[in-house]
Amino acid sequence: MDKMKVSRVLVWTLMLISMVILGSCQASMPKNARNPEATITMENGNKIVFEMYPDKAPNTVCNFVDLAQQGFYDGTIFHRVIQNMMIQGGSHDGNEFIEPGYTIRGEFADNGFDGNDISHIAGTVSMARMGNPYTNSASSGFFICDTDSTTFWNGEYAAFGKVIDGMDEVLVISATETDPIDRPLKEHKIKTVTVDTFGAKYPKPEKYNP
């Protein structure tokens, strides 16, 4: 094999390795697509709609889209509420904690991820996770900020969306009286979570493998 052929083989090998490193989601992210939108429909009929930003947190968006399309979030509750901070859901069905059986890499600055500059202000949707050092422990849980005073989370959690309609429902849930472990005394159950990708196809998320 001559040197030119060897060089071509090396180039193609490096390209394939790069695609594997990028992961299935990042490597095949739709280009120039309209940002996907998620609609959380509560059991009372009220809705929370938020736009997701795959250019800022690509694998996080892939993960949420995939779980929503599977119906994973249907029937879950907002199980943790701290007024003037956030409402948290996506990982409890009202009886016990649930999870998809895997975690994803935390797409935020403190975890060595560049490009996610979404600020944690009122309406920001971000991924819940275990405390440090478990930076890659997010799976299905998410939270929605109810105030502009939570920017101290910037760079520490993977923000991936912003409420564009239904912030009034977020504030209603946030104002619910809670028990000593921040669980609402009145249950706020999600009926369905649907996602409009506007014709774009999002791949399965890349799962975290330490």
Side-chain angles (χ1 to χ4, degrees):
M1 186 179 294
D2 59 37
K3 292 183 177 179
M4 184 172 291
K5 289 182 178 178
V6 171
S7 296
R8 288 176 179 172
V9 170
L10 286 173
V11 169
W12 279 105
T13 300
L14 289 172
M15 288 177 65
L16 288 171
I17 291 174
S18 297
M19 289 181 69
V20 172
I21 292 174
L22 281 171
S24 59
C25 185
Q26 291 90 332
S28 54
M29 182 64 64
K31 304 299 181 184
N32 301 318
R34 180 175 171 181
N35 287 336
E37 294 178 6
T39 299
I40 300 172
T41 301
M42 304 299 295
E43 275 205 332
N44 62 10
N46 294 339
K47 297 182 179 182
I48 303 169
V49 182
F50 64 90
E51 180 181 15
M52 291 178 275
Y53 305 111
D55 60 324
K56 303 294 185 180
N59 196 52
T60 305
V61 170
C62 283
N63 183 60
F64 191 92
V65 170
D66 184 55
L67 290 173
Q69 290 177 337
Q70 291 180 41
F72 181 89
Y73 292 117
D74 300 354
T76 58
I77 65 170
F78 282 101
H79 67 277
R80 186 169 180 241
V81 168
I82 304 177
Q83 190 173 20
N84 296 321
M85 190 172 285
M86 60 85 208
I87 63 173
Q88 182 177 331
S91 58
H92 201 293
D93 65 4
N95 296 307
E96 60 184 356
F97 283 97
I98 59 173
E99 57 184 21
Y102 64 86
T103 64
I104 58 174
R105 181 190 176 195
E107 292 180 314
F108 49 88
D110 284 6
N111 200 35
F113 182 84
D114 295 325
N116 188 350
D117 58 359
I118 302 172
S119 184
H120 286 78
I121 58 175
T124 297
V125 185
S126 191
M127 289 300 289
R129 63 175 178 83
M130 296 174 66
N132 291 329
Y134 304 102
T135 53
N136 300 307
S137 60
S139 57
S140 61
F142 64 93
F143 62 91
I144 306 175
C145 300
D146 70 347
T147 176
D148 289 337
S149 302
T150 46
T151 53
F152 52 84
W153 283 328
N154 291 353
E156 297 183 359
Y157 289 84
F160 67 99
K162 181 68 183 293
V163 173
I164 57 176
D165 189 30
M167 194 62 195
D168 53 342
E169 180 67 9
V170 173
L171 295 177
V172 166
I173 297 172
S174 174
T176 303
E177 186 178 356
T178 60
D179 66 15
I181 58 172
D182 302 320
R183 180 164 174 168
L185 299 182
K186 175 186 176 182
E187 188 173 78
H188 294 277
K189 179 168 286 190
I190 295 171
K191 183 178 181 180
T192 61
V193 175
T194 57
V195 173
D196 191 343
T197 64
F198 303 100
K201 294 186 180 299
Y202 288 83
K204 294 283 186 179
E206 179 186 4
K207 299 174 183 178
Y208 175 67
N209 295 305

